[in-house]
Amino acid sequence: MSKDMKTVWSLWKEGQTLDMVDSAVSRDSCPAPEVLRCIHIGLLCVQEFATDRPTMSDVAFMLCNESATLPSPKQPAYIFRRPVAGTDSSSTSAGGTSTLGNDVTITTIQGR
């Protein structure tokens, strides 16, 4: 069963992180400490502010070094945001740049 980010964050805060792991996953093939570490790193990667998120080299280091201390994750981005009533959640400019309601931009590159 897929869990949304709000549920994952709630389970993390409550110390029930392993409750989000599918029961079909064998405890023998995926030891709990490894699963917890991967979830922890995943939560670090979706923090609200990009400056709080680890770089890819940091992620690789954290995954390869079990002794590396991980910082506590902050609340993930976008889980509690709701669009303001009466506003469009996205718009597209003439240059092909889409602005989403969460201040993220996506640029479409087109050849000549």
Side-chain angles (χ1 to χ4, degrees), residues 60-112:
F61 178 80
M62 290 185 274
L63 289 170
C64 294
N65 295 288
E66 294 178 16
S67 61
T69 304
L70 303 179
S72 295
K74 298 174 184 173
Q75 178 176 302
Y78 318 122
I79 64 171
F80 296 106
R81 293 183 186 236
R82 292 196 174 110
V84 178
T87 62
D88 185 9
S89 63
S90 67
S91 61
T92 303
S93 69
T97 301
S98 298
T99 305
L100 305 175
N102 58 12
D103 297 329
V104 174
T105 60
I106 301 169
T107 303
T108 306
I109 299 173
Q110 297 177 350
R112 296 180 192 192

Side-chain angles (χ1 to χ4, degrees), residues 4-111:
D4 67 359
M5 185 56 68
K6 187 174 181 179
T7 302
V8 171
W9 180 246
S10 296
L11 289 170
W12 173 265
K13 288 188 344 185
E14 295 166 8
Q16 303 297 319
T17 310
L18 288 175
D19 290 353
M20 71 182 80
V21 179
D22 193 306
S23 60
V25 175
S26 167
R27 300 278 187 214
D28 296 328
S29 64
C30 298
E34 289 182 28
V35 171
L36 291 171
R37 189 167 186 80
C38 288
I39 293 169
H40 189 154
I41 294 168
L43 286 171
L44 292 172
C45 292
V46 295
Q47 293 183 100
E48 182 77 31
F49 301 104
T51 55
D52 293 332
R53 297 180 207 140
T55 63
M56 286 308 300
S57 60
D58 291 336
V59 170
F61 178 80
M62 290 185 274
L63 289 170
C64 294
N65 295 288
E66 294 178 16
S67 61
T69 304
L70 303 179
S72 295
K74 298 174 184 173
Q75 178 176 302
Y78 318 122
I79 64 171
F80 296 106
R81 293 183 186 236
R82 292 196 174 110
V84 178
T87 62
D88 185 9
S89 63
S90 67
S91 61
T92 303
S93 69
T97 301
S98 298
T99 305
L100 305 175
N102 58 12
D103 297 329
V104 174
T105 60
I106 301 169
T107 303
T108 306
I109 299 173
Q110 297 177 350

